[in-house]
Amino acid sequence: MNTLPLGDELQALEGRYSVGVYAKRPLTIVRGAGATLWDDRGRAYIDCAAGQGVANLGHCHPRVVAAIQEQAARLITCQEAFHNDQRARLLSELAALLPAGLERFFLCNSGAEAVEAGLKFARASTGRSGIVAAMRGFHGRTFGALSATWEAHYREPFQPLLPDVRHVPYNNLEALEAAVDHTTAAVVLEVVQGEGGVRPAQGAFLVGAQRLCRERGALLIIDEVQTGCGRTGRLWAIEHHGLEPDILLLGKAIAGGVPMGIAACGPRVQGLQPGHHGSTFGGNPLACAAARATLQVLRDERLAEQAAAKGAWLLEQLQTLPSRRIREVRGLGLMVGIELRERAQPFLAALQERGVIALPAGPTVIRLLPPLVISREQLALVVAALREVLA
Ligand SMILES: *Cc1c(COP(=O)(O)O)cnc(C)c1O
């Protein structure tokens, strides 16, 4: 019946016909439900990667699937030159869910695109070109986003990047004070650095950054592409610190797995005119319908509260793991990092053998980003597997 080549052959095909920018694991995933993934041989895995922080609602949440199916049969594409019912409703629903002031939106198709939009909007608003970002920060791999990203391995082959970008140590307000001046268009920060090793910001640093930006005429851009949508135990991670950024960036989980990025803008974003930015697929009805269903599920299933409770439990379990390999366990909600004294890669492979898929965050950190719907039983199995491999 099955005419497709299976397993190894599929992997060989991807290997042969891809450009080679991804380090791939020898695993072919073909199906998902909740926090469980299945490979082509029918083996189940507990998913602590969630498609790199995308599947916050779990894989193939029935309400997202239904919204996509319904909208796909009605209208898939509708460029922003026209109005659309799904888009209009999504925008007003987003405005109601975000802090007051963040009520105008640019819709695009990925996190990096949201960052690009944010950087352009900051230039347009301020007439300045400087960007201040954080060491270990990650904002994506298109040229503007890459310029704000810190990791040299990502940046160096592609120089020259944007000019006027400075990186300061994260959580160092003095360094930020020294870097932000009358040429700074924007300060770009994550509330918890994701790719950079799961490092939560200190509230005083973020609040100080916001004050500095206001005093010195720069915009504060908070990149919540990874921390948004309930991941950290609040719907938006800015809520932990009462932040009111000028631009909030969303992506990853926002449309339940369908590609979407959003730049949410406050009143200090000004000067944008027709033609200044745009996107063919941005705001398409399919992604908008998926995002609306995602926001409804986040609310109805109280997934942020679930992330807070499950994350606190997980952190406590991991902090008491008796392993001399562990340097530190840290995190916020269901965004958890286990920093090792050695390379994380062999332990990720060992976890996979035991049926747990986890992520790295830099060379020595094991990162757990499970779907927020993951059960306590599944989390307990994850802890048991970690206990075993880190023993
Ligand atoms: C993943 C990520 C991005 C980039 O998103 P893409 O959809 O991969 O372009 C940007 N910022 C943060 C914080 C991210 O985690």
Side-chain angles (χ1 to χ4, degrees), residues 110-112 138-140 190 195 223 225-226 252:
S110 69
F138 181 87
H139 303 288
E190 296 157 89
E195 306 301 311
D223 180 346
V225 170
Q226 190 161 149
K252 291 204 163 93

Side-chain angles (χ1 to χ4, degrees), residues 25 325 340 342-354 356 360 362-366 389-390:
R25 305 191 199 188
R325 300 183 196 276
L340 304 181
E342 52 199 298
R343 296 186 68 79
Q345 171 43 42
F347 300 101
L348 295 173
L351 284 170
Q352 189 173 305
E353 275 168 31
R354 285 166 177 76
V356 173
T364 60
V365 177
I366 298 174
V389 305
L390 292 173

Side-chain angles (χ1 to χ4, degrees), residues 102-125:
L102 291 170
E103 57 185 29
R104 288 175 304 140
F105 304 95
F106 177 76
L107 303 177
C108 49
N109 314 289
S110 69
E113 280 183 56
V115 174
E116 298 295 331
L119 297 180
K120 282 181 72 174
F121 296 172
R123 280 195 178 189
S125 302

Side-chain angles (χ1 to χ4, degrees), residues 74 130 212 226 329-330 366 391:
R74 190 187 305 269
L212 266 179
Q226 190 161 149
V329 178
R330 54 182 178 251
I366 298 174

